[in-house]
Amino acid sequence: MRVQTRDHPEAREIPVDAFRPPNQNPVQYVIHCVESGIPIEGPLSPQLCRIGQQIVDSAVKSAREGKTVPLVS
């Protein structure tokens, strides 16, 4: 990963951990959770995804109507 900050405006490399199964990609993680019977957590959790979808749906409705709208449920 390359990082720049105000204190270090020149880009510098930061080492990162390598992902190992079952966390190498979102699909692999979800399949692992389903097959193992464990809850899906973090950004892929159904609860968080639903909130994100409500925000997107509300933004589309707001743009279409040209006014502020409440979150679509």
Side-chain angles (χ1 to χ4, degrees):
M1 175 185 316
R2 191 173 290 199
V3 177
Q4 289 178 279
T5 65
R6 285 190 179 120
D7 293 336
H8 298 280
E10 69 287 350
R12 57 193 173 120
E13 297 287 326
I14 304 290
V16 296
D17 296 334
F19 290 106
R20 291 181 170 60
N23 298 311
Q24 291 173 311
N25 61 61
V27 173
Q28 186 184 62
Y29 170 71
V30 170
I31 290 171
H32 167 74
C33 290
V34 170
E35 289 178 347
S36 301
I38 59 176
I40 300 168
E41 298 178 338
L44 298 175
S45 72
Q47 296 83 4
L48 189 59
C49 289
R50 177 64 184 134
I51 292 167
Q53 188 61 54
Q54 287 175 310
I55 292 169
V56 170
D57 291 347
S58 296
V60 169
K61 183 176 180 181
S62 175
R64 190 178 306 128
E65 295 181 7
K67 62 181 183 179
T68 302
V69 299
L71 281 180
V72 176
S73 49

